[in-house]
Amino acid sequence: MTNEEEKPISSGHKVRPPIKKKIVYIEIDDEITTIFDCVKNLPNKKIYLVVPKRAALFHSIVNLKIINKKLVDIDKELFIVTKDTVGLKLAAQAEIKSFDSLDADLIGTQTQKTKTNVHEPMVALSNEKLDDDPKRRRLKKLSIIEIVKKTRDNASSKFDLLTNITKITEKIGKQNDRKLVFVTPSKRAFSTLIIASIGLFTLIAYFALPGALIELTTSPNTLQRSVNITLADKTRNPRLFSTSPGNIIETYKVEETINKTIQYSSTGHLFEGSNSSGEITIINKSNHNWPLVKDTRFQTEDGLVFRIKTDAIIPASREIPKIRENRSAYADSVPGELAVSVVADIEDAYGQVIGDKGNIGPSHFFVPGLSKESQNLLYGESKFNFTGGESISSPRVVKEDISASKEKLLEVMKSDAVSALRDKIEMDNSLKNTNLKLMEDSFVLTFSEPKYTVAPDLIDKELQEFDVSGEVKVTGIAYNFNEVMNILRQDLQTHKSPDKRLVYIYDQSFAYDIADIDKQTGIIKITASIKGIEEFDINPDSETGQRLIKKIKEHVIGKSKKEAADYIQNLPEINKVNISTWPSWAPNLPAVPENIKIEVIQGEAINVSSENTESNN
């Protein structure tokens, strides 16, 4: 950019006064700040900018408005001189006077491009001629050949000058070689420089390089679903599979014959010992006599049973009058008493032989045949030890043992039947690569009439135990467990929350209830249930995750670790949060979101498919 003023001409005439106009030539790439810096300190009021074509000033009308406003603010008036038609139009739109040349008649003839008001035409200035109007430059124009020649001459002279300077420098250097001195820097200054550098680096690292890592654990939720499923025998219900929609699964019949022999312990006893005996005092607290018949039972708290051997009448309680110190009379009640002999039974209240267990010391006895209230009025007490009891007995088979042994054998065969059917199904699964499962409900299993074999004439025989054998046929129903699990898995996937994903299915939680069973048609209706785990999908690659991470960053920037953790912990999507900062002593999170890294810890989503479903059961 160059400034050119019109200087007064000395040709014997009087010198003209200083002009009020200023012509400024700008370069094609000059910015408005450069232009303004060049002209703001000029004393001239009117500034003529000579602008080349395609100059940066004409890239936008905003540039013209800005430079014009800045000059108006410092009490200067702007004129544009250019051959650029676009620039002339922009100047007119910015209400800046513009010209297309610097000819002598410039001031008198404004171009049509400089209308400042589209509604009013410009007034001609041809009758006005000012001394400070812009003038054409009087320097001689140079041709290209002259410019090249002049450039070469300048380059040659500069090269000669550089050569001379180099020679002089070498000469001075040779003279000063002997005077060259190396100065050791001050240790204090060097230490200060190092400390200052470290401090500056720490300060920069503290403000510019802090970082934070936020680890998020998603909040899990237990999801439980129940589905109605129909299990049916396909061979007996072909129409059901061809016409009825819904969750229908084929069942398979499985049979097994169970043969079992068990040993049963005899419960009878052939007593060959002796029973203990003794004397008890029967106490009657009632107000009437209490008669007792022979063999009335008296029992200890341990279940030992003793019987009286004769009929007895226990006298009623009686009153005894007494005199107080003040000579007033009153009565004391004294219970009636009767001492009787008792003998122990062969078996106690629990069916066990008493024998020598009846040799007891002083004890309390109650009458088990009386009510609780009567037992408090009539009871017995012994003051001496009982003797004579001896335990000698041998087992024997009683009638009840035969029926009891058959019931126990049937129970064992039913239990073995479930295990046998289960083993058979597992073997078929291994051979056929299937995953059938037995319905172990007792009312689903069908048993034939059992056949028993027991040795004849066992009753009253002295046997510790005897054998009983039996045979029963069991029929069970199995179903494809994979098909049931696929139905439940698909239902879990369908009914999970839209903003969550299924991350785990508890196969072990599978259970079912039988709603209806028809053994004639082989149709069983069940309600199957299963549990799974769903959690919010905040994967950073998903739209939901990106939105949540952006929300978290916007709320925690610049906050303390506790405030940030409290805010994140209260989000329904988050179960646990852990925040670590760098440097470790930094109390707050960075103020720059880009310096906060968020990692999400969540389980891998389950891909529920109806094909090749594996089961843990």
Side-chain angles (χ1 to χ4, degrees):
M1 177 183 299
T2 58
N3 295 338
E4 181 178 317
E5 292 188 8
E6 292 188 358
K7 298 181 181 180
I9 303 173
S10 300
S11 58
H13 300 283
K14 188 176 180 180
V15 177
R16 300 193 317 185
I19 61 176
K20 297 181 180 180
K21 300 186 178 80
K22 181 66 176 179
I23 300 173
V24 179
Y25 293 84
I26 70 172
E27 301 295 337
I28 191 171
D29 56 350
D30 282 347
E31 301 290 341
I32 56 175
T33 54
T34 306
I35 298 172
F36 180 72
D37 290 341
C38 182
V39 302
K40 65 181 180 180
N41 295 324
L42 295 177
N44 310 83
K45 297 295 184 180
K46 295 183 179 182
I47 306 298
Y48 288 80
L49 291 183
V50 180
V51 187
K53 291 183 179 180
R54 298 183 299 279
L57 184 63
F58 293 151
H59 286 178
S60 171
I61 192 175
V62 177
N63 293 343
L64 293 172
K65 288 185 177 181
I66 292 175
I67 190 65
N68 185 45
K69 185 178 184 307
K70 283 181 164 292
L71 292 177
V72 170
D73 291 343
I74 59 176
D75 196 22
K76 295 181 185 295
E77 185 177 2
L78 176 63
F79 299 89
I80 299 296
V81 181
T82 183
K83 294 289 187 178
D84 193 327
T85 56
V86 175
L88 292 172
K89 291 180 180 180
L90 293 177
Q93 294 175 9
E95 299 183 354
I96 301 173
K97 295 179 181 180
S98 59
F99 307 92
D100 57 3
S101 68
L102 284 172
D103 293 338
D105 57 350
L106 173 64
I107 304 303
T109 308
Q110 273 194 333
T111 178
Q112 295 299 322
K113 306 294 191 299
T114 62
K115 295 181 179 180
T116 59
N117 191 328
V118 294
H119 303 291
E120 298 181 5
M122 291 293 295
V123 179
L125 301 176
S126 57
N127 296 326
E128 185 177 346
K129 187 71 173 179
L130 301 175
D131 292 337
D132 56 352
D133 287 343
K135 299 296 188 296
R136 183 183 298 274
R137 297 182 64 182
R138 298 178 180 179
L139 298 176
K140 179 182 178 181
K141 294 182 179 180
L142 300 177
S143 65
I144 295 177
I145 297 175
E146 292 175 335
I147 292 173
V148 172
K149 182 179 179 182
K150 186 175 181 181
T151 302
R152 289 178 178 175
D153 294 341
N154 290 338
S156 177
S157 60
K158 289 181 180 179
F159 178 77
D160 294 340
L161 179 60
L162 181 61
T163 303
N164 294 333
I165 292 173
T166 304
K167 291 180 179 179
I168 295 171
T169 304
E170 291 176 353
K171 184 177 180 180
I172 294 173
K174 291 178 180 179
Q175 294 176 355
N176 294 334
D177 281 344
R178 298 179 181 178
K179 300 179 181 180
L180 186 61
V181 179
F182 293 95
V183 179
T184 303
S186 171
K187 291 184 178 179
R188 182 176 180 180
F190 187 70
S191 302
T192 304
L193 178 61
I194 292 176
I195 294 173
S197 301
I198 295 174
L200 181 61
F201 175 77
T202 304
L203 190 64
I204 293 174
Y206 183 81
F207 287 101
L209 301 179
L213 174 62
I214 302 177
E215 295 178 327
L216 305 178
T217 303
T218 52
S219 180
N221 180 54
T222 302
L223 177 65
Q224 182 172 0
R225 291 294 303 170
S226 298
V227 182
N228 294 325
I229 301 175
T230 300
L231 307 176
D233 188 339
K234 191 172 183 179
T235 58
R236 298 162 62 183
N237 303 276
R239 184 177 298 179
L240 182 65
F241 286 86
S242 60
T243 60
S244 299
N247 301 323
I248 302 177
I249 295 177
E250 182 180 0
T251 59
Y252 306 89
K253 184 170 70 174
V254 57
E255 296 179 338
E256 194 67 55
T257 299
I258 306 299
N259 292 283
K260 192 74 175 180
T261 299
I262 64 171
Q263 288 184 334
Y264 188 81
S265 297
S266 303
T267 59
H269 296 278
L270 182 61
F271 183 68
E272 299 175 352
S274 59
N275 298 321
S276 65
S277 61
E279 184 180 84
I280 65 172
T281 300
I282 302 176
I283 300 172
N284 180 14
K285 288 186 176 181
S286 66
N287 56 6
H288 59 81
N289 295 334
W290 204 311
L292 296 176
V293 298
K294 179 184 176 181
D295 292 333
T296 298
R297 292 177 301 164
F298 281 83
Q299 182 177 323
T300 66
E301 296 297 334
D302 296 333
L304 300 179
V305 178
F306 295 83
R307 297 177 186 268
I308 62 175
K309 294 303 178 182
T310 59
D311 295 338
I313 297 177
I314 315 304
S317 62
R318 64 185 186 278
E319 295 182 351
I320 301 176
K322 289 188 177 182
I323 304 299
R324 295 178 182 267
E325 293 180 356
N326 57 6
R327 298 184 180 276
S328 61
Y330 69 97
D332 282 342
S333 178
V334 178
E337 296 181 354
L338 181 65
V340 296
S341 297
V342 294
V343 178
D345 278 1
I346 296 176
E347 294 180 351
D348 60 14
Y350 308 109
Q352 301 297 319
V353 174
I354 294 178
D356 57 3
K357 290 190 297 184
N359 300 330
I360 60 176
S363 303
H364 175 83
F365 300 83
F366 66 92
V367 181
L370 298 179
S371 65
K372 287 291 184 182
E373 182 179 356
S374 296
Q375 288 176 3
N376 293 329
L377 297 176
L378 185 71
Y379 57 89
E381 289 182 351
S382 64
K383 299 179 181 178
F384 305 101
N385 295 335
F386 284 22
T387 60
E390 188 176 2
S391 296
I392 301 175
S393 65
S394 58
R396 69 187 179 95
V397 180
V398 294
K399 183 179 180 180
E400 291 80 5
D401 291 340
I402 304 300
S403 58
S405 64
K406 292 180 179 180
E407 291 178 2
K408 183 176 180 181
L409 175 61
L410 180 60
E411 182 181 349
V412 173
M413 287 192 297
K414 286 184 177 181
S415 177
D416 289 351
V418 175
S419 300
L421 292 177
R422 192 187 301 122
D423 293 341
K424 185 175 182 179
I425 290 174
E426 289 180 358
M427 183 177 295
D428 290 342
N429 288 336
S430 300
L431 295 175
K432 301 176 183 179
N433 194 25
T434 57
N435 191 19
L436 300 182
K437 190 172 183 180
L438 176 69
M439 299 187 72
E440 301 181 7
D441 306 86
S442 59
F443 44 86
V444 176
L445 298 172
T446 304
F447 294 92
S448 65
E449 188 67 26
K451 299 178 182 179
Y452 300 104
T453 301
V454 183
D457 302 329
L458 286 177
I459 299 176
D460 290 334
K461 282 191 175 182
E462 296 183 15
L463 297 174
Q464 181 74 31
E465 56 187 15
F466 61 92
D467 293 339
V468 56
S469 301
E471 178 182 293
V472 68
K473 183 178 180 181
V474 59
T475 303
I477 294 178
Y479 61 91
N480 192 320
F481 185 71
N482 285 349
E483 293 182 5
V484 175
M485 291 301 297
N486 285 337
I487 293 174
L488 293 173
R489 287 168 178 262
Q490 292 289 352
D491 189 74
L492 278 175
Q493 185 71 25
T494 302
H495 291 86
K496 70 176 182 60
S497 301
D499 54 347
K500 296 181 180 180
R501 64 178 187 168
L502 196 63
V503 296
Y504 190 77
I505 295 177
Y506 292 105
D507 288 349
Q508 298 84 352
S509 67
F510 168 76
Y512 68 85
D513 294 322
I514 297 179
D516 186 34
I517 181 171
D518 188 347
K519 292 190 176 182
Q520 292 183 352
T521 60
I523 296 177
I524 304 174
K525 296 181 179 180
I526 66 172
T527 301
S529 62
I530 198 169
K531 294 180 181 180
I533 296 294
E534 63 176 0
E535 64 182 14
F536 285 93
D537 186 7
I538 57 174
N539 191 315
D541 296 332
S542 66
E543 181 180 353
T544 304
Q546 292 175 359
R547 185 166 58 250
L548 177 63
I549 289 174
K550 181 180 178 183
K551 174 183 175 182
I552 292 175
K553 285 187 176 182
E554 290 176 350
H555 282 80
V556 303
I557 54 174
K559 291 187 177 180
S560 66
K561 292 167 61 174
K562 184 180 184 306
E563 291 176 332
D566 291 342
Y567 168 77
I568 299 174
Q569 191 69 64
N570 289 328
L571 295 175
E573 300 88 345
I574 304 303
N575 179 48
K576 184 180 179 182
V577 58
N578 181 42
I579 301 177
S580 55
T581 57
W582 187 92
S584 58
W585 61 82
N588 297 335
L589 273 70
V592 181
E594 288 74 12
N595 289 359
I596 300 177
K597 183 180 179 182
I598 296 181
E599 291 184 357
V600 180
I601 303 173
Q602 59 183 170
E604 184 177 355
I606 292 179
N607 182 18
V608 178
S609 173
S610 60
E611 299 179 0
N612 300 326
T613 302
E614 295 293 335
S615 171
N616 294 329
N617 292 3

